[in-house]
Amino acid sequence: MLDLDLLHSFVSVVDAGGFTAAGERVHRSQSTVSQQIRKLEETLECPLFLREGRQVQLTEEGERLLGYARRMLALSTEVREAVSGRKRVDVIRLGIPDDFAVDALTAVVAAFARTRPAVQLSVRCDLTAVLTRSLERGDLDVALLKREPGAGTALAAWPERLHWIGSASEQAPLTPEAPVPLVAFPQGCIYRNRAIHALEAAGRRWRIAYESPNLSGVQAALAGGLGIALLERRCIADGHRILDVGLPAVPPSELALCVAGNVREAARQLAMDIREFCEKEMTRLAA
């Protein structure tokens, strides 16, 4: 039987992103946390982290352990609460992309939290590639993801109409001979992958002119005329215009609301609230 204390330290290192920060979370010194991780690695006979200075990254073995560790710790808590008779506090871990109505969606999540004082929300706003990995390894209960249509099961899904978007100001026209300057999210983004694939299939050269992990950076670069981007129509802001003419057409991608299989009723209710919001938002955008 694995030592739950060691698993707690392991999960803390993952969540905190390092040994020092993990020590602060569990009220132990960095050296004590390091010793516990070494003991856990010796018990399992495999390395769990790749250490690069103060940065740590999970090995493949560590990735596999993480989901099990979270479930074992959750089950341990559930057993203690069932035996003691204390009411369980539900923790819901939600992942959302930063380019889907974040302000309005956050208001929906906040309203849900106000009606559920016994629920603790942990919300992560990140790139879909990161959120997908987190959902797969058990780090999220509910996630709103951008993906290829029909790429897996989902509570609900909506098509995304993709457009080439650039500056509304006058700028040099795109010529077939010159590389297309792309404004893009980092590698792993479905919009970026779709843009590059479409251009290469059409025999067009391309280059990354500007890269940003958040929508505001991409929007600013587009408005400033640094390049063009393939985005969903909802991402168009002041200073932008659609530039589809002369560029390859791209089929719809998909916005999917995914729920882990073992979540409690509170998490499912939050997912239903998000589904209702998304239905209204997608209807509004299609009008």
Side-chain angles (χ1 to χ4, degrees), residues 153-172:
T153 59
L155 178 65
W158 303 268
E160 292 191 306
R161 312 296 177 182
L162 303 182
H163 298 276
W164 297 99
I165 300 172
S167 174
S169 303
E170 290 296 328
Q171 62 185 94

Side-chain angles (χ1 to χ4, degrees), residues 13 36 59 61 72 84 95-96 98 152 189 197 200 239 249 252 257 261 278:
V13 172
Q36 289 187 310
T59 62
E61 295 84 358
M72 289 177 69
S84 66
I96 57 176
D98 88 328
C189 171
H197 177 77
E200 291 185 343
L257 178 61
C278 289

Side-chain angles (χ1 to χ4, degrees), residues 73-125:
L73 292 172
L75 181 60
S76 173
T77 300
E78 185 176 339
V79 169
R80 287 197 303 270
E81 290 171 348
V83 173
S84 66
R86 291 180 300 171
K87 186 177 180 181
R88 177 185 173 90
V89 175
D90 280 328
V91 178
I92 303 176
R93 301 161 299 167
L94 169 67
I96 57 176
D98 88 328
D99 62 347
F100 185 77
V102 171
D103 291 344
L105 181 53
T106 301
V108 171
V109 174
F112 173 87
R114 286 194 295 272
T115 64
R116 300 269 187 147
V119 170
Q120 293 181 1
L121 276 174
S122 175
V123 184
R124 181 173 187 177
C125 186

Side-chain angles (χ1 to χ4, degrees), residues 1-2 4 7 65 67-77:
M1 182 68 179
L2 293 176
L4 293 179
L7 292 178
L65 174 63
Y68 291 108
R70 291 193 191 280
R71 292 198 291 273
M72 289 177 69
L73 292 172
L75 181 60
S76 173
T77 300

